Amino acid sequence: PKDHGTTAQPVQSDLQYGVSRKLADKICSYNRHFAENGGYFVSTTFEDAVLEAKGPITFYDSVSGKPLFVAPLNRTPDQFLAESESHGWPSFRDDEVIWENVRVIKGSGETVSVDGTHLGHNLPDRKGNRYCINLVCIAGKPV
């Protein structure tokens, strides 16, 4: 066991995109199965951040601050957002995952950071692996 559920410490105090720190801590550190509500990210500044970026955005672990995903890659911001909106959570593809910091648990498809942060699940579709990730878990700032 770790000091704070599945992680060594709570989520960062100043998360990005206007996400709820209380919800982030519950989902990231004290959970293996549940998720933020589908579509939660549309109530945040996530979509604006993606559209205003001058290129791909790096998404950081809400607990450790390690980089986890870089998106969009090999697709437009509109395509990234459209896929995320159709599934209800930010949706990443294999080439957008920073594999040195992310693991997928065999059998369950649960996607976690190497530091124990619950991120979401791999829900493959006809295009390949699709990682449906809780925004509250990737709203950290780099450390």
Side-chain angles (χ1 to χ4, degrees), residues 1-8 29-31 116:
K2 297 193 178 179
D3 290 341
H4 194 77
T6 61
T7 59
S29 300
Y30 289 96
N31 164 57

